[in-house]
Amino acid sequence: MRSVTAAAGAAAVLAGLITAAGPAAAASGAAACSPAIELLPSLPGVSGGTVAGFGTGGLVVGESGDRPAYWTGAEHTVHAVPLPAGFDRGSVKAVSAKGLMVGTATRDSDRYRVAFTHQLGSATSEPLTVPAEEGGAVDVDVNESGRVVYADGGIAKEWVNGQVVRELPVPADAIAGSEVVSLNGINKRGDIVGTVSGSYFDAENDIMVTKTFPVVWPAGGGYPPYSLQVWNGYHYSYSTIGRDIDDRGRVVGLEDYYYRNDPKLTPAVWKKPYDALPADPGRLNGYHDLELSGSSPTTNVAVGTATNFEESRPSYFQAVYWPGKGAPLALPFPTGAPGAVPRTRAFAATDDDRVGGTVSDRETGAGSAVIWTCASKQAYAPKG
């Protein structure tokens, strides 16, 4: 592990970039932390990696060189997670308080994918789903108590202690042909966020009608699911996606627009009682697009990635920290990161002010999993 302290590295990066507004105010629970940017070690013989989630006792999960992995201890010792039998690549997305990891794996021979579970300390991983062809929904997540949600053949399921305890229905107001296309988050209470999509041909108007929108299934199944409102719908060029749900029920995600080589990513935030259009927190100064990918459980922080496109392809990535109000802020590039043209993305945040993601070189592809500690004290507003 290479660690860059605020004084030795991050401060030098920030000195010429922070505006007069200064760093973001520290999040709740961050008072005792020390600002640092930690580059996590890779598994032997590979490079690159991503932090996707945080567990208890310093446990961190994600992937290293396209292999599912986790890190332990103050030095972030890296460990490989065994893949389900017959699968070649994968990643861990999340871990419960008792070390139950969940992730996805891919088989190189036919690109089929499965969701899987792995209990910390076990010699094997177990598939949750039947293999799905490329593009099939096999998303998975777990909350701290060990409740797992996953998509299996267009059907969303909740799994506890080795058994499916319920299937999650598509909302009654979804259009014909709708099914669950992704499951993206479950909070401490057990509320679940995912994405539903459907389409049909409207012969009278000679058009294809498509709607892709986020859904929240309340914990326990005692209430019908909420269809979250979207800015634009009923056209295949718009997909609105819920990426995470915090313990207060706030959902973060994005509207993904792509039509005739003109992409646009707009951040979106929904709050209970889910009776209004999403809020748009704005863009990072200097960037055209922003997607929100993760949130802290209780401190109202969201993280994601700002993007600029060149010739309809993403060319620049910048990890973003949003405190829950005001403008989105940037997280600094690590000093000593692999390569000369770094790109960063952020995917996970904690209540103790850590943010996890990835850093890579735009030209060479070299990279590393990364953690920003005391992230609120490092986040800054880039100059115009």
Side-chain angles (χ1 to χ4, degrees):
M1 180 198 76
R2 286 167 287 173
S3 179
V4 183
T5 67
V13 177
L14 295 177
L17 296 174
I18 298 177
T19 67
S28 175
C33 65
S34 298
I37 309 174
E38 301 173 343
L39 300 178
L40 277 58
S42 299
L43 291 169
V46 303
S47 65
T50 298
V51 172
F54 295 89
T56 58
L59 181 65
V60 179
V61 299
E63 60 91 11
S64 176
D66 289 332
R67 294 292 302 269
Y70 65 95
W71 293 264
T72 56
E75 294 300 315
H76 299 303
T77 303
V78 63
H79 311 266
V81 171
L83 285 155
F87 286 80
D88 306 289
R89 295 179 292 109
S91 63
V92 179
K93 178 179 178 179
V95 59
S96 75
K98 294 185 178 180
L100 178 65
M101 302 180 197
V102 298
T104 60
T106 301
R107 189 166 58 201
D108 286 342
S109 60
D110 54 13
R111 307 285 294 180
Y112 274 46
R113 302 169 67 221
V114 293
F116 69 86
T117 63
H118 172 75
Q119 180 61 50
L120 183 65
S122 174
T124 61
S125 294
E126 302 300 327
L128 274 171
T129 60
V130 297
E133 61 184 344
E134 189 173 7
V138 292
D139 300 279
V140 64
D141 200 10
V142 62
N143 69 1
E144 60 184 73
S145 68
R147 304 188 79 88
V148 176
V149 289
Y150 63 97
D152 187 8
I155 300 173
K157 300 177 180 180
E158 186 174 2
W159 179 100
V160 181
N161 295 327
Q163 294 185 334
V164 175
V165 295
R166 65 167 170 155
E167 293 186 357
L168 308 179
V170 171
D173 58 355
I175 66 174
S178 291
E179 63 178 21
V180 177
V181 295
S182 67
L183 274 174
N184 302 100
I186 178 170
N187 63 14
K188 180 178 181 179
R189 180 172 177 266
D191 304 316
I192 300 162
V193 64
T195 303
V196 165
S197 184
S199 62
Y200 67 91
F201 183 70
D202 182 349
E204 182 178 349
N205 295 296
D206 193 31
I207 58 171
M208 181 64 71
V209 177
T210 300
K211 186 177 183 183
T212 303
F213 61 100
V215 174
V216 170
W217 291 270
Y223 296 91
Y226 296 95
S227 297
L228 304 193
Q229 296 186 34
V230 300
W231 294 303
N232 300 286
Y234 304 106
H235 192 277
Y236 67 87
S237 60
Y238 291 101
S239 297
T240 308
I241 302 161
R243 285 273 179 79
D244 199 13
I245 184 167
D246 70 12
D247 289 349
R248 300 172 183 175
R250 185 191 65 167
V251 172
V252 299
L254 73 152
E255 179 189 78
D256 185 344
Y257 169 84
Y258 190 92
Y259 186 65
R260 295 180 178 177
N261 295 324
D262 183 26
K264 183 180 181 182
L265 306 176
T266 304
V269 180
W270 295 262
K271 294 183 178 180
K272 295 177 73 173
Y274 311 124
D275 58 354
L277 287 168
D280 177 352
R283 307 296 174 275
L284 184 68
N285 193 22
Y287 286 81
H288 181 264
D289 299 86
L290 174 61
E291 57 185 303
L292 296 177
S293 300
S295 56
S296 63
T298 65
T299 56
N300 215 35
V301 169
V303 296
T305 305
T307 306
N308 281 334
F309 289 89
E310 290 182 354
E311 297 180 354
S312 79
R313 300 182 65 182
S315 297
Y316 295 92
F317 295 115
Q318 168 64 62
V320 167
Y321 178 100
W322 183 54
K325 60 182 179 180
L329 303 170
L331 290 169
F333 295 124
T335 299
V341 188
R343 304 192 296 184
T344 56
R345 306 187 70 177
F347 298 104
T350 66
D351 282 347
D352 65 2
D353 209 21
R354 288 174 293 160
V355 172
T358 185
V359 58
S360 63
D361 182 74
R362 180 172 179 256
E363 297 179 351
T364 68
S368 173
V370 63
I371 295 173
W372 291 267
T373 62
C374 231
S376 65
K377 296 180 181 179
Q378 301 190 58
Y380 66 95
K383 291 183 177 180

